Amino acid sequence: MPQVSVIVYVVSDSAGDTGELAVRAAAAQFHPLSVQIRRAAFIQSREGIDSVLVAAQSDNSIVLYTLVIPFLRDYMVDQARKMQLTAIDLLGPLIDNLEHALGHESRHEPGLNHLLNADYFRKVEAVEFAVRYDDARDVTGILKADIVLVGVSRTSKTPLSMVLAHKTYKVANVPLIPELVPPKELYLASPSKVIGLTISPDTLNAIRKERLKALGLPDSAPYATSERIRKELDHARQVMEKIGCKVIDVSNKAVEETASLILENLQG
């Protein structure tokens, strides 16, 4: 069977991501037939449209466009009809129907879905903060953080830090290990922003054994023994009591559930 190929020009007055994603999703339904995508982004003039349509005509191609500027969309419709090209308006009908349903005219501004607002930057900053101050790599983060998580190994401190970071909170986390003196910053920080994470010995034992197996190590290693786990949990409890912080039992809790409890405590 000969390889069949078609070229689709994706024309946009913005970056063209939306149109390309739509074409790729549709093209997947015709695998293994080939669909080539040629993106014409940031088209802002009639001349730009003319250039694309001439190329599409010479290639006997399809045109898909996501033009939200009215005069460009109207010009595309007229010219494609004159040149007898297949031109598909991806956004126009949807925008028209939304205008009718909402009783409100659209803004007709390209690229609005790519605007990086203040919330986006706060989220990026919070994620970078969580990475930098993960596992007490830099204890100065304790006093800068919105939330400080403390607990023994495998109490989901790092996953929780990331979930909370995506909610724009700056989170530092500190492992509590009997052989290490907790950083003095823990006792200088406001207890209201420190959250202690505890867990039942049996649950922690099962989690640590699975972790050892994943690393190719025997589950009899000291890291997962009942004696070691009791020692670590006792030490962590003493540190948390000294701090005077809120303590949450994460046994059998999803990370998202624990994150919600932390935020309830923070906002309460």
Side-chain angles (χ1 to χ4, degrees):
M1 179 179 177
Q3 182 72 17
V4 179
S5 177
V6 65
I7 298 171
V8 178
Y9 282 84
V10 174
V11 185
S12 176
D13 42 20
S14 183
D17 294 334
T18 302
E20 181 167 342
L21 286 171
V23 173
R24 290 193 184 281
Q29 300 300 317
F30 298 91
H31 182 77
L33 302 182
S34 173
V35 176
Q36 298 179 43
I37 299 173
R38 296 182 182 175
R39 192 190 296 201
F42 302 106
I43 298 296
Q44 300 286 326
S45 67
R46 294 181 177 89
E47 290 76 17
I49 290 175
D50 287 338
S51 177
V52 175
L53 293 183
V54 168
Q57 190 176 50
S58 67
D59 293 330
N60 194 27
S61 305
I62 293 172
V63 175
L64 178 137
Y65 58 96
T66 56
L67 299 168
V68 299
I69 300 175
F71 85 88
L72 291 178
R73 189 165 35 144
D74 293 342
Y75 187 74
M76 172 66 82
V77 172
D78 291 340
Q79 292 303 104
R81 186 184 300 116
K82 289 177 183 177
M83 299 173 71
Q84 297 184 323
L85 284 167
T86 299
I88 303 165
D89 185 357
L90 184 65
L91 291 181
L94 178 57
I95 291 174
D96 291 344
N97 279 285
L98 283 173
E99 284 182 337
H100 178 74
L102 297 172
H104 194 282
E105 188 176 358
S106 77
R107 294 170 62 175
H108 303 302
E109 294 178 37
L112 290 180
N113 58 325
H114 290 285
L115 288 178
L116 304 181
N117 56 28
D119 185 65
Y120 174 87
F121 286 113
R122 284 196 299 271
K123 187 180 297 185
V124 170
E125 187 179 4
V127 170
E128 290 176 346
F129 187 97
V131 171
R132 179 175 180 180
Y133 298 109
D134 181 50
D135 221 20
R137 288 180 196 153
D138 183 348
V139 296
T140 63
I142 293 171
L143 297 178
K144 302 173 186 175
D146 300 316
I147 301 170
V148 181
L149 304 177
V150 298
V152 301
S153 172
R154 312 314 293 178
T155 49
S156 300
K157 295 185 298 298
T158 297
L160 272 170
S161 296
M162 287 300 159
V163 170
L164 292 166
H166 278 85
K167 297 180 184 295
T168 72
Y169 290 92
K170 294 179 180 178
V171 185
N173 74 75
V174 180
L176 299 179
I177 303 168
E179 291 77 17
L180 297 178
V181 177
K184 66 180 185 300
E185 287 82 359
L186 266 184
Y187 303 110
L188 297 175
S190 169
S192 64
K193 75 174 185 180
V194 181
I195 300 292
L197 304 174
T198 190
I199 190 170
S200 74
D202 290 342
T203 301
L204 185 56
N205 179 262
I207 291 172
R208 288 191 173 183
K209 283 185 175 180
E210 287 301 315
R211 177 60 176 164
L212 289 170
K213 286 180 184 177
L215 295 173
L217 299 172
D219 62 11
S220 58
Y223 177 69
T225 61
S226 297
E227 181 181 355
R228 175 64 189 183
I229 286 172
R230 280 196 299 271
K231 181 178 180 180
E232 288 190 32
L233 289 175
D234 285 344
H235 170 71
R237 176 180 50 78
Q238 291 169 12
V239 172
M240 293 172 196
E241 287 177 353
K242 186 175 179 180
I243 295 170
C245 63
K246 170 79 173 178
V247 178
I248 296 176
D249 189 334
V250 301
S251 306
N252 304 313
K253 283 188 177 67
V255 171
E256 293 77 11
E257 182 182 357
T258 305
S260 294
L261 292 173
I262 290 170
L263 293 180
E264 284 176 16
N265 178 77
L266 190 70
Q267 294 160 4

